[in-house]
Amino acid sequence: NAGVTQTPKFQVLKTGQSMTLQCAQDMNHEYMSWYRQDPGMGLRLIHYSVGAGITDQGEVPNGYNVSRSTTEDFPLRLLSAAPSQTSVYFCASSYTKVSTNGGPGAQHFGDGTRLSIL
Amino acid sequence: QQQVKQSPQSLIVQKGGISIINCAYENTAFDYFPWYQQFPGKGPALLIAIRPDVSEKKEGRFTISFNKSAKQFSLHIMDSQPGDSATYFCAAPIPRAYKYIFGTGTRLKVLA
């Protein structure tokens, strides 16, 4: 199994350009999510999905769009890149529930996309 | 109320020493507390996790201690090795909200 695969690994964009970060998982996980990692701020949730056709906003959704047409894929779109979106982006997946209280299970992460906006 | 507060931000330990990283939370509905380990250039990977119905969980040199009344949990790395040098994150899934929150991370350096 490949786990969670992210492409590209590195990308440089100019302000105003758009692009799509790809994420695919082969573990049949219902839950998928996107995080950005910035120094001193840990991992912040951008968007997440609990299944095909269902997406919702996380902590920092502005400037990003997502869709979930299949269980396997969860692309992240930057609509008009800004320097503040320079970051490392991680995609993660998991089973949806781990307890009677619900909530996503242990997250399986890809190796990230390092994005620089000039 | 949905935060987990992690400390210290960075930690330097001698080889063979004990590394201790702490996290505090406010939401008593949290019921699953994983720790993640991240090496440079890689994504975080699950290291060990605990539920609040136990006070301690040990896997090899890694131990989670959980204090439910104080709403705190800690990661202890016994006999720390240079290969343990990484960034460690505590985390918690928000029940029924399908959101996962992470601490801000602790960068551990183990000196040879």
Side-chain angles (χ1 to χ4, degrees):
Chain A
N1 286 346
V4 178
T5 302
Q6 291 185 240
T7 56
K9 295 189 184 304
F10 303 93
Q11 185 70 48
V12 178
L13 293 177
K14 295 181 179 179
T15 298
Q17 287 185 314
S18 62
M19 80 160 294
T20 299
L21 280 61
Q22 301 291 344
C23 175
Q25 54 93 8
D26 61 358
M27 297 171 282
N28 202 32
H29 285 162
E30 308 100 325
Y31 186 89
M32 295 187 74
S33 53
W34 277 100
Y35 297 87
R36 59 178 290 173
Q37 184 175 28
D38 302 292
M41 303 191 75
L43 291 151
R44 293 183 292 168
L45 183 64
I46 303 171
H47 285 286
Y48 66 96
S49 168
V50 298
I54 306 170
T55 64
D56 207 343
Q57 296 181 349
E59 183 183 357
V60 287
N62 291 341
Y64 307 96
N65 274 356
V66 292
S67 60
R68 185 95 179 269
S69 57
T70 67
T71 300
E72 296 79 17
D73 300 300
F74 191 44
L76 177 72
R77 297 183 190 84
L78 277 70
L79 308 174
S80 178
S84 61
Q85 294 178 304
T86 293
S87 188
V88 182
Y89 290 85
F90 288 100
C91 178
S93 72
S94 74
Y95 293 112
T96 303
K97 296 178 181 178
V98 291
S99 71
T100 55
N101 272 352
Q107 302 285 286
H108 298 255
F109 285 86
D111 282 338
T113 294
R114 285 145 188 83
L115 182 63
S116 293
I117 315 295
L118 304 178
Chain B
Q1 195 177 12
Q2 305 292 32
Q3 293 179 327
V4 285
K5 296 181 180 179
Q6 185 172 346
S7 63
Q9 189 173 19
S10 62
L11 183 61
I12 300 175
V13 175
Q14 294 288 338
K15 180 181 176 181
I18 302 174
S19 304
I20 302 175
I21 304 170
N22 301 299
C23 279
Y25 66 97
E26 296 177 351
N27 188 341
T28 56
F30 292 165
D31 67 349
Y32 176 67
F33 299 93
W35 284 90
Y36 289 83
Q37 180 187 53
Q38 183 182 27
F39 293 106
K42 295 293 186 180
L46 180 66
L47 182 64
I48 186 173
I50 197 169
R51 297 193 183 282
D53 53 350
V54 298
S55 60
E56 185 176 282
K57 183 174 182 179
K58 184 176 181 179
E59 291 185 1
R61 295 184 294 107
F62 299 90
T63 300
I64 299 179
S65 298
F66 186 80
N67 186 332
K68 189 173 183 178
S69 61
K71 293 186 284 187
Q72 295 178 346
F73 56 109
S74 301
L75 175 68
H76 296 239
I77 306 174
M78 312 301 288
D79 187 26
S80 298
Q81 299 296 313
D84 297 330
S85 297
T87 300
Y88 293 82
F89 294 94
C90 60
I94 301 174
R96 296 179 297 277
Y98 297 110
K99 295 181 181 180
Y100 224 89
I101 58 172
F102 286 83
T104 51
T106 296
R107 182 172 291 182
L108 172 65
K109 185 177 178 68
V110 182
L111 302 177

